[in-house]
Structure formats: structure tokens, C-alpha cells
Amino acid sequence: MTEKIIHPYVGKYLRKEVMPHGMCPGCGNMTIANAFIRAVDKIYGSFEKFVFVSGIGCAAWIPSPHFLADTVHVLHGRPIPTAVGIKLANPELNVVVISGDGDLSAIGGNHLFHAARRNIDILVILVNNFNYGMTGGQLAPTTPFGAKTITTPYGNLEEPFNLAELMVHAGANYVARWTTVHILQLRKSFEKALQMEGFRFIEVLSPCPTRYVRWNLERLEQLLDNFKNNSVYVQVAREKGVKEGQIVIGEFIERDRPGYLRRYEELKRRAIEVWRRKMNA
Ligand SMILES: Cc1ncc(C[n+]2csc(CCOP(=O)(O)OP(=O)(O)O)c2C)c(N)n1
């Protein structure tokens, strides 16, 4: 039997028995995992105080089964309510959702928007590969206008969600968007988000070579080159506007409003005060 080689930096965070991982060649999922693990390693040094929640889809497989941590793999579209429940039950934990654009913004869309509005103290990492990768590459709410998928072979008629902007307006404390070629920025963004309170949302544009790329491009490199050459920082985009085909990346917002849990503690304190005054009257 050949001995498994353990990665010197990220190896201790991964379950040996599922490595090498089963993602397609060229998929961005494990690149994102690598950046995330390095951020956790720098800030916390272990997964001890973490719980990861994911739904159904390829991206949902990043934490479960790969992370050697407490992970919960739930019904399609339901990682956010599960994560909210875990955080409310044990506020000491770092609760992180990692899942796909379909899982979190299609079937799970309502949960996403309301968790951001409530500014609940969880970190959501949404992997946007522009389609439902795992089930054959169907149209998602994030598929670009005109793009081909197995369910839109003549091109998509609909406009995609701009999820980062949506999260800003819904009320998240922190919102960022990167691509899998912006590795250092992504890692730094994870580091920052891991130390903040309230709802934090990081969207990562990621290649799906098996489905999306096959339907729309000749080669995977074309998508990666597009990520590299056509990305524009949100501050520049806000000042100068966005040209057709450009991808807006960067930190969309950073607020320091108290998260839901701090507000809840404050509410409890006030309620107890009122109750004490009534008892003493
Ligand atoms: C209730 C329900 N509806 C549909 C499905 C089939 N299904 C499984 S994963 C998935 C889409 C996943 O897409 P996404 O979240 O974008 O993840 P990806 O595989 O692209 O990473 C769908 C439709 C399901 N498992 N459960």
C-alpha cells in the first residue's frame, strides 16, 4: 500500500481518509479550501472552536467530508438556518457556512437574505461557479445573461443576481467578492472576516471546468484569464462605472454595527431590568 503524503501546511486540517479529494481537475473548490485553512491557521491555529455547515452540491463538499473538524451536512438550501441555530445555542463557536451559489441563493435564497438583514454572527462563503455543478450544470440565479447551460442551450434569458450588492443592501457587516485567481486577497479577506462580528459574506467566483466551462468556452484558461484580466476593484467601479464583461471584486462594505447576538444580550439585560423594577414596585 502506498503511504499518503500529508501536506505540510494544510494537511493537519484535512481528513486523511478522503484525500486525495474527489473534485474535478481544474475545479476551484480546493483552492478556496487552501486559502481558508491558511487563514484559520494564522488567526486560530486550529479548527477546535469551529463548526462548519454546508448544504448539497460540490462546494458543500469542501468542509464535509474534507475538513477534520465538526461539520454538519444538511438538506439542500438549509445550511444557513442550521448555522443560525448552532450559533444561538452556543455563541462561543465560530460558525462558518461553505456552500454553492445554487444551494445558498436559489433554494436557500430566503435564508441568506434574512440572515444578512438580521446581521447574525456567522460567516458565509458562497462559491459561485455560475451553475448547479453537481447535478449536471443547470441554470442558476448566478448564471450570466446569454451563457449556455444544459437547461439553456440557446443562452440564458435572465439576468443574474449581484449577490455581493444584495448582501450589502440586506445589511451584512462585511461583504467581499474575489475569484480563485485572487488567492492572497481571498486569504486576507478570510482573515478579516474571521475576526469580525455580525453577518459576513464572501463570494468566490470559481471555475466549473466540467460543466460551465465546457458549455461556454474552449479552455479553462480562458475563464481564469478573464478573472485575472477583467476584474476591477469595487471602489474603481463605483467611481468610473463598469464596462461590459468586467468583474467587480474587492471589499464591498465593512461595517462595525453590533451583531445580532450582542443586540440580543443587550435586550435580555433591559428586559431583566424592567422585570426587576416591576417585582420591587
Ligand atoms: C430539495 C432538493 N432539490 C434538488 C436537489 C438536487 N440538487 C442537489 S445539489 C443541487 C445544486 C447545487 O448547485 P450549487 O449549490 O451551485 O453547487 P455546485 O454543485 O455547483 O458546487 C441540486 C439542484 C436536492 N438535492 N434537493
Side-chain angles (χ1 to χ4, degrees):
M1 215 174 77
T2 49
E3 205 188 314
K4 286 193 179 177
I5 298 167
I6 310 295
H7 192 284
Y9 302 116
V10 301
K12 72 167 177 161
Y13 291 90
L14 298 168
R15 286 185 198 277
K16 274 204 294 291
E17 60 274 30
V18 295
M19 299 303 285
H21 61 78
M23 304 291 176
C24 302
C27 168
N29 283 345
M30 293 320 264
T31 307
I32 299 165
N34 189 316
F36 180 77
I37 288 172
R38 283 167 192 256
V40 170
D41 194 49
K42 182 162 173 200
I43 308 297
Y44 292 94
S46 90
F47 272 158
E48 206 176 315
K49 285 265 172 202
F50 279 82
V51 174
F52 295 94
V53 192
S54 54
I56 306 299
C58 300
W61 280 65
I62 294 174
S64 163
H66 296 99
F67 287 2
L68 187 53
D70 289 333
T71 57
V72 193
H73 212 138
V74 302
L75 283 177
H76 193 26
R78 303 297 176 261
I80 288 182
T82 311
V84 169
I86 294 169
K87 186 67 188 178
L88 290 176
N90 188 351
E92 299 285 295
L93 296 171
N94 291 315
V95 183
V96 182
V97 170
I98 307 180
S99 225
D101 47 328
D103 191 58
L104 292 172
S105 77
I107 187 168
N110 270 316
H111 299 297
L112 179 68
F113 312 141
H114 291 285
R117 178 178 64 80
R118 294 183 178 119
N119 203 20
I120 186 94
D121 306 67
I122 61 172
L123 166 60
V124 174
I125 299 167
L126 181 146
V127 181
N128 180 358
N129 61 5
F130 315 112
N131 71 170
Y132 296 171
M134 200 182 78
T135 44
Q138 295 86 352
L139 176 84
T142 46
T143 306
F145 174 75
K148 290 180 183 162
T149 68
I150 199 162
T151 46
T152 54
Y154 302 102
N156 177 19
L157 278 180
E158 304 169 6
E159 291 291 336
F161 269 145
N162 185 337
L163 288 172
E165 290 292 2
L166 215 53
M167 290 295 95
V168 170
H169 295 287
N173 255 7
Y174 180 74
V175 176
R177 180 193 287 138
W178 305 105
T179 78
T180 51
V181 304
H182 296 90
I183 292 303
L184 277 179
Q185 294 93 325
L186 180 63
R187 201 164 109 192
K188 294 258 171 260
S189 195
F190 286 149
E191 284 171 19
K192 185 186 278 185
L194 281 167
Q195 297 175 83
M196 287 179 69
E197 66 174 287
F199 191 81
R200 291 141 287 152
F201 178 83
I202 300 178
E203 178 182 4
V204 194
L205 307 186
S206 177
C208 177
T210 309
R211 310 293 183 203
Y212 186 79
V213 170
R214 190 171 285 177
W215 273 95
N216 291 285
L217 300 162
E218 295 287 313
R219 298 167 61 80
L220 170 62
E221 289 84 342
Q222 292 170 303
L223 186 65
L224 300 179
D225 283 348
N226 190 37
F227 283 171
K228 202 162 81 187
N229 302 326
N230 287 327
S231 290
V232 52
Y233 275 89
V234 60
Q235 289 75 13
V236 177
R238 280 179 187 151
E239 204 181 301
K240 298 192 174 156
V242 186
K243 295 195 193 91
E244 210 185 312
Q246 279 186 325
I247 300 164
V248 182
I249 58 162
E251 294 178 306
F252 283 61
I253 200 137
E254 197 180 330
R255 299 176 169 120
D256 63 359
R257 288 181 319 163
Y260 185 92
L261 278 156
R262 197 136 63 95
R263 285 192 175 166
Y264 182 56
E265 285 309 313
E266 169 61 14
L267 181 90
K268 271 197 322 205
R269 199 189 52 72
R270 278 191 284 119
I272 290 169
E273 241 170 56
V274 171
W275 179 79
R276 282 219 178 100
R277 249 184 276 128
K278 275 194 185 146
M279 293 297 282
N280 293 334

